Amino acid sequence: MIFKRKIYQKLLEWKKESHGESALLIKGARRVGKSTIAEEFGKREYDSYIVIDFAECPKEVIVLFEDISDLDYIFMRLQMIYDKELKERKSLIIFDEIQLCPKARQAIKYLVKDGRYDYIETGSLLSIRQNVKGIIIPSEEEEITLNPLDYEEFRWAMGDKVSVPLLRQFFDKRKGMGEAANRSTMRDFRLYMLVGGMPQAVSTYIETNNLAKVDHIKRNIINLYEKDFNKIDRSGNASKIFHAIPSQLLANASRYIVATATGGGRKNRLEETISDMEDSMVVNIAYHVDDPNVGMAQTMNKSAFKMFVADTGLFVTLAFWDKEFTENVIYEKLLSDKLPANLGYVYENVVAQIIKASGYELYYHTFPTEDGKHNYEIDFIIPDGDKIDPIEIKSSGYNRHKSLDAFFQKYHARIKQQYMIYTKDLRTDEMITGLPVYFTQFL
């Protein structure tokens, strides 16, 4: 299935504004739909296009980029190999999985300068050492990111183009919809959490309405990611760190304990591995901010972090990786709206996913309680003009928010708005706005 994606508008803007003076790099995790959207764009917006998939193209295509001194010859050969006519300023060449042919990526500088055609690159694992070794990254390359389908794109796929704009109106007016409407919307949102935003999983759900088959698709995607991790880290630690994400969140520690996940591997020895995992865009990492204020990157503590799966549908499958689909209680509990507190990490993961997809970096903050025996924790902090907005996640009720209260007491001069994200209808008091989780997309 070809799904409507918001990134398409950005592709149109690039084509209109660049006039062939830059190539566009679509980056994102494997299987998020980069190749599909690039080809759909070529089909709709150009007279002709060529897709060069470096994962399976003939060797003679790769050899062409070893010597780019004769572009006329290269374009002639590409037209012959792919049986497509290229028309000056009316054709698009797509370099799919560009990370597999670094020389082609380096050639972008000269292809763009030549100016005959437009170029879109798609890739994952783009910054991994072996994928950039010995090449000069072209400055003529603009980058955009494709994430898994967000909630609105998911509703579009379900044939619903009305709900999210209406939700925006309620959010803007800070009005609740009533418990009945909230329960209905939460039911739709919980389905999104279970299926996730990977296009193949969404397509399978639409075609079969069968969550067991969706889970099978997600397991295949996770297996693919695991193979990628084993390529970038032959020790197997990257795969171990990935698989331990649910258990690490369940432990409710103030940071990801790398040694627990790897069986002894120290965090400082695995910094490059963790950085490569972040570059893969398969995971989202929230870093501890030591001094929560505007410009949080300046006091970010890279030695303390939490890790999330970039797609919550995959997280649901990963949480019960060693069990059959029928034993994955998250499906049953979410569908029946009876997710217990110890599975509240599913909501934490989906909020991280939404915040990251909205263009924010992920930061959190911990600080000791008055007796020094425990920690208060603010799950996420986002900038808001010249101030910050702390966010606390609850999988159920609203009544207790000790961490937000203590944070406000300590940093009230820095705070613009406090948010409690939970499952009930929107409500406000003098200090805190309680938002149902589906409103996170509007922050």
Side-chain angles (χ1 to χ4, degrees):
M1 292 185 178
I2 307 296
F3 297 120
K4 180 182 177 182
R5 305 298 302 269
K6 294 176 182 178
I7 200 174
Y8 198 92
Q9 183 60 37
K10 294 182 179 179
L11 298 181
L12 288 172
E13 291 169 3
W14 162 76
K15 183 176 187 288
K16 179 181 178 181
E17 295 172 5
S18 74
H19 301 292
E21 295 179 359
S22 67
L24 187 67
L25 173 63
I26 306 175
K27 60 182 185 177
R30 300 275 295 276
R31 298 295 177 87
V32 294
K34 302 183 299 297
S35 305
T36 301
I37 197 70
E39 185 164 1
E40 187 70 7
F41 186 70
K43 190 181 301 181
R44 290 185 182 184
E45 309 299 335
Y46 292 85
D47 287 2
S48 66
Y49 67 94
I50 288 176
V51 179
I52 303 174
D53 183 352
F54 288 109
E56 57 182 29
C57 68
K59 187 175 181 180
E60 62 179 311
V61 173
I62 294 176
V63 171
L64 286 175
F65 296 98
E66 294 293 330
D67 179 2
I68 57 168
S69 59
D70 188 348
L71 291 181
D72 290 338
Y73 174 75
I74 291 175
F75 294 140
M76 180 187 68
R77 292 294 299 132
L78 289 176
Q79 290 177 88
M80 292 180 66
I81 293 168
Y82 290 97
D83 194 22
K84 289 281 188 76
E85 179 186 1
L86 293 173
K87 302 178 182 179
E88 189 165 336
R89 300 303 319 136
K90 293 182 179 180
S91 294
L92 173 70
I93 299 178
I94 299 169
F95 290 164
D96 197 16
E97 301 292 357
I98 188 68
Q99 76 279 0
L100 299 178
C101 187
K103 290 290 188 180
R105 188 178 182 190
Q106 181 172 265
I108 284 294
K109 175 181 180 67
Y110 306 99
L111 296 172
V112 167
K113 184 179 179 181
D114 172 75
R116 271 177 269 187
Y117 313 115
D118 283 354
Y119 301 90
I120 289 179
E121 307 160 83
T122 76
S124 55
L125 305 170
L126 288 159
S127 300
I128 309 304
R129 280 186 305 170
Q130 57 264 40
N131 294 334
V132 295
K133 187 176 181 181
I135 70 165
I136 299 172
I137 303 300
S139 59
E140 295 77 8
E141 191 179 77
E142 295 184 37
E143 293 185 2
I144 56 173
T145 299
L146 182 62
N147 295 299
L149 275 75
D150 66 18
Y151 181 58
E152 185 170 22
E153 291 171 327
F154 181 78
R155 294 310 307 167
W156 290 343
M158 297 293 158
D160 172 16
K161 294 180 172 59
V162 176
S163 294
V164 173
L166 289 175
L167 292 178
R168 163 67 82 171
Q169 293 180 35
F170 279 100
F171 175 81
D172 289 343
K173 294 176 181 177
R174 295 300 193 271
K175 283 191 175 182
M177 300 189 298
E179 284 301 331
N182 175 66
R183 283 195 297 271
S184 175
T185 306
M186 276 302 307
R187 186 164 56 248
D188 292 339
F189 189 80
R190 291 195 303 270
L191 177 63
Y192 169 64
M193 293 169 68
L194 292 174
V195 174
M198 304 303 288
Q200 192 177 1
V202 176
S203 179
T204 300
Y205 178 77
I206 293 171
E207 292 169 353
T208 68
N209 201 35
N210 186 322
L211 287 174
K213 292 184 178 180
V214 173
D215 193 77
H216 177 73
I217 293 297
K218 290 190 290 178
R219 286 175 182 269
N220 288 342
I221 295 172
I222 290 172
N223 281 326
L224 179 67
Y225 289 166
E226 191 172 44
K227 290 176 182 176
D228 285 342
F229 286 143
N230 287 332
K231 288 178 184 176
I232 65 176
D233 172 39
R234 298 189 183 280
S235 72
N237 281 325
S239 180
K240 291 176 184 177
I241 291 169
F242 177 65
H243 277 274
I245 291 174
S247 62
Q248 289 275 333
L249 292 175
L250 179 62
N252 203 29
S254 61
R255 66 181 67 190
Y256 191 109
I257 309 299
V258 173
T260 302
T262 60
R266 293 177 181 269
K267 194 267 174 190
N268 58 357
R269 295 177 183 172
L270 293 169
E271 285 184 354
E272 187 174 313
T273 295
I274 293 166
S275 177
D276 286 347
M277 293 179 68
E278 189 173 19
D279 284 345
S280 76
M281 305 184 73
V282 171
V283 301
N284 291 324
I285 297 182
Y287 289 100
H288 191 277
V289 57
D290 294 338
D291 182 22
N293 206 343
V294 176
M296 286 177 283
Q298 298 175 23
T299 63
M300 174 180 69
N301 182 355
K302 295 208 76 169
S303 67
F305 64 88
K306 290 193 169 186
M307 189 176 290
F308 304 91
V309 181
D311 177 73
T312 301
L314 296 181
F315 178 89
V316 167
T317 296
L318 191 66
F320 285 79
W321 182 251
D322 295 326
K323 296 185 179 181
E324 297 290 334
F325 164 78
T326 53
E327 298 177 75
N328 189 334
V329 298
I330 297 179
Y331 284 97
E332 175 192 348
K333 299 298 184 183
L334 266 181
L335 285 173
S336 62
D337 193 20
K338 294 179 180 178
L339 195 71
N342 69 336
L343 295 178
Y345 56 19
V346 185
Y347 286 105
E348 192 175 352
N349 196 92
V350 78
V351 171
Q353 177 183 344
I354 295 169
I355 291 174
K356 184 71 174 179
S358 297
Y360 296 108
E361 295 302 320
L362 297 177
Y363 299 107
Y364 74 103
H365 181 68
T366 62
F367 57 106
T369 57
E370 291 78 2
D371 59 12
K373 294 182 179 179
H374 303 284
N375 280 326
Y376 293 117
E377 181 171 321
I378 302 301
D379 295 310
F380 301 105
I381 304 173
I382 59 175
D384 191 347
D386 60 352
K387 297 199 174 184
I388 56 175
D389 296 340
I391 296 171
E392 189 171 344
I393 315 297
K394 294 285 187 182
S395 59
S396 54
Y398 173 88
N399 295 327
R400 300 180 64 188
H401 36 74
K402 291 182 178 179
S403 292
L404 276 180
D405 294 340
F407 188 81
F408 183 82
Q409 186 175 2
K410 187 174 183 181
Y411 297 112
H412 59 89
R414 305 178 180 184
I415 296 171
K416 185 171 184 179
Q417 179 63 58
Q418 299 180 89
Y419 291 108
M420 174 78 70
I421 294 179
Y422 64 156
T423 61
K424 304 301 182 183
D425 196 16
L426 185 148
R427 60 176 288 182
T428 60
D429 60 27
E430 293 181 2
M431 307 295 293
I432 297 172
T433 299
L435 291 180
V437 63
Y438 49 79
F439 276 164
T440 308
Q441 63 189 308
F442 304 130
L443 293 180

